[in-house]
Amino acid sequence: MMPSTDGTKAPVQVAVTGAAGQIGYSLLFRIAAGDLLGDQQPIILRLLEIEPAMKALEGVAMELDDCAFPLLHDIILTSKAEKAFDGASWCLLVGAVPRKQGMERSDLLNVNAGIFGPQGKAIAATAATDVRILVVGNPCNTNCLIARSNAPEIAPERWFAMTRLDENRGKTLLANKAGVPVGVVTNMGIWGNHSTTQYPDARNSKIAGLPTFDVIKDHGWLKGKFIETVQKRGAAVIEARGSSSAASAANAVLDSVKSIVTPTPWGDWHSLAVVSKGEYGIPEGLQFGFPVRSDSWNWEVVQGLEHDGDAQDRIKKSTDELVQERELVKALLPA
């Protein structure tokens, strides 16, 4: 799209898949209000849904229209991936097949490979040259690997999978335990897979600038219940409300993108699953959760963090799970 001639910014095109779902419904209005790219950045929403959900998506679009968001310049509704990603600078891949009763993890991975492989190809074919992609639909690390592998034209550094929800969960737990506002909890890293094997790293986190283990004296809780609660929080939400996290996941999408497009505050970091280049001995090519810093365009994995034996064992367990997932979908990845 040509830049505006009246001094305003040209709209950025943002594609959202699974747009009529619970996360999509919680997310779209906040994007249109300016919570994704700022309150001065016009947006064009490109919304993708499966054909049976298109009627519901039309209703979502009606509500977006009825909000009269000044930043929302247009809405495109489609069931075709190529059209959804056409010209998009951000692709938020929210839609995925959820795990159903009796379904093995390998079944889930194979089903989603049939979604994320074609979506990766469509992004490579039609998205903007500056496109960046955040995969939210679970299992998001390996779904991201599948999509990325099907889009070799796009630099691996442009692909992210979401671990920010786990970071936010960990920060709130630490804040509540310490009796402090959540805003003073920093340096919360999530290592590995967005699954029950992830390692939320309290050891390297800080509370009001002090090491968390100096502020919270209950080290048994930090090494046990804290980790387990973050790992199993998604299941706890499902048990409590009868459906999976939606508003908190949508909020984490916004936080994830903002942590990429905004320079990371000095000394802090945020959690994203990015392509491994061998940092901390993680196999190259895995989409792995790391603590990451950004300068608003380029990012880097934080180096030099130390892990005790328990942390190393936990990170290895999550690494092994991701390697296993990669093997399970290997036949479905391009050679």
Side-chain angles (χ1 to χ4, degrees):
M1 179 169 294
M2 293 296 292
S4 172
T5 58
D6 63 1
T8 60
K9 293 182 178 180
V12 170
Q13 306 213 40
V14 178
V16 181
T17 74
Q22 286 200 72
I23 296 175
Y25 189 77
S26 296
L27 177 63
L28 295 177
F29 298 88
R30 294 188 63 186
I31 294 176
D35 289 348
L36 185 77
L37 298 176
D39 60 7
Q40 301 299 312
Q41 179 57 66
I43 294 289
I44 293 174
L45 284 172
R46 310 188 69 89
L47 307 182
L48 179 67
E49 260 299 356
I50 58 174
E51 193 62 44
M54 288 302 295
K55 189 69 175 179
L57 186 59
E58 290 174 11
V60 174
M62 290 178 193
E63 287 201 76
L64 285 164
D65 283 339
D66 293 347
C67 289
F69 289 115
L71 293 175
L72 184 56
H73 283 210
D74 198 5
I75 310 170
I76 291 90
L77 312 181
T78 183
S79 61
K80 306 298 183 184
E82 291 80 3
K83 183 176 179 180
F85 301 132
D86 188 19
S89 291
W90 274 100
C91 297
L92 308 177
L93 308 188
V94 176
V97 174
R99 190 168 182 171
K100 300 179 176 66
Q101 187 173 6
M103 181 182 282
E104 298 294 333
R105 194 169 182 86
S106 59
D107 298 328
L108 181 65
L109 288 164
N110 286 329
V111 169
N112 278 303
I115 297 171
F116 285 86
Q119 286 186 358
K121 292 177 181 177
I123 291 169
T126 64
T129 56
D130 65 349
V131 67
R132 286 180 279 186
I133 307 99
L134 176 69
V135 177
V136 179
N138 288 317
C140 64
N141 294 59
T142 298
N143 285 343
C144 187
L145 169 67
I146 292 165
R148 171 167 61 82
S149 298
N150 279 276
E153 304 92 334
I154 300 173
E157 293 78 15
R158 303 279 191 89
W159 296 84
F160 307 89
M162 194 172 83
T163 54
R164 182 57 181 266
L165 179 54
D166 308 303
E167 174 189 333
N168 290 346
R169 288 165 169 167
K171 283 181 171 179
T172 299
L173 285 169
L174 294 178
N176 290 344
K177 186 72 171 179
V180 299
V182 71
V184 304
V185 181
T186 61
N187 303 86
M188 183 69 232
I190 303 294
W191 298 77
N193 201 4
H194 175 66
S195 75
T196 57
T197 69
Q198 65 178 268
Y199 173 56
D201 186 2
R203 173 69 73 177
N204 284 300
S205 68
K206 294 180 181 179
I207 298 176
L210 300 173
T212 293
F213 272 62
D214 291 350
V215 177
I216 297 175
K217 303 301 183 181
D218 188 351
H219 293 178
W221 179 84
L222 288 169
K223 295 177 180 178
K225 186 66 173 178
F226 165 75
I227 294 172
E228 180 182 341
T229 301
V230 176
Q231 290 174 333
K232 298 181 179 180
R233 184 67 164 187
V237 170
I238 291 172
E239 182 178 355
R241 69 183 295 263
S243 58
S244 58
S245 304
S248 58
N251 183 70
V253 171
L254 301 172
D255 284 345
S256 297
V257 172
K258 285 185 282 190
S259 73
I260 296 165
V261 301
T262 306
T264 309
W266 185 87
D268 200 1
W269 53 72
H270 291 296
S271 300
L272 289 161
V274 297
V275 61
S276 170
K277 299 177 183 177
E279 301 95 340
Y280 295 93
I282 303 304
E284 291 188 24
L286 287 184
Q287 201 75 26
F288 196 88
F290 286 110
V292 171
R293 292 192 181 109
S294 174
D295 66 4
S296 77
W297 182 256
N298 299 301
W299 57 263
E300 63 178 6
V301 172
V302 176
Q303 299 293 330
L305 300 180
E306 296 184 355
H307 298 113
D308 61 16
D310 177 64
Q312 290 175 17
D313 289 344
R314 291 179 182 275
I315 292 171
K316 183 180 185 304
K317 182 177 180 180
S318 202
T319 303
D320 290 345
E321 181 180 61
L322 282 169
V323 170
Q324 182 184 37
E325 288 185 6
R326 183 170 65 179
E327 286 300 310
L328 287 170
V329 299
K330 189 174 182 179
L332 302 172
L333 300 178

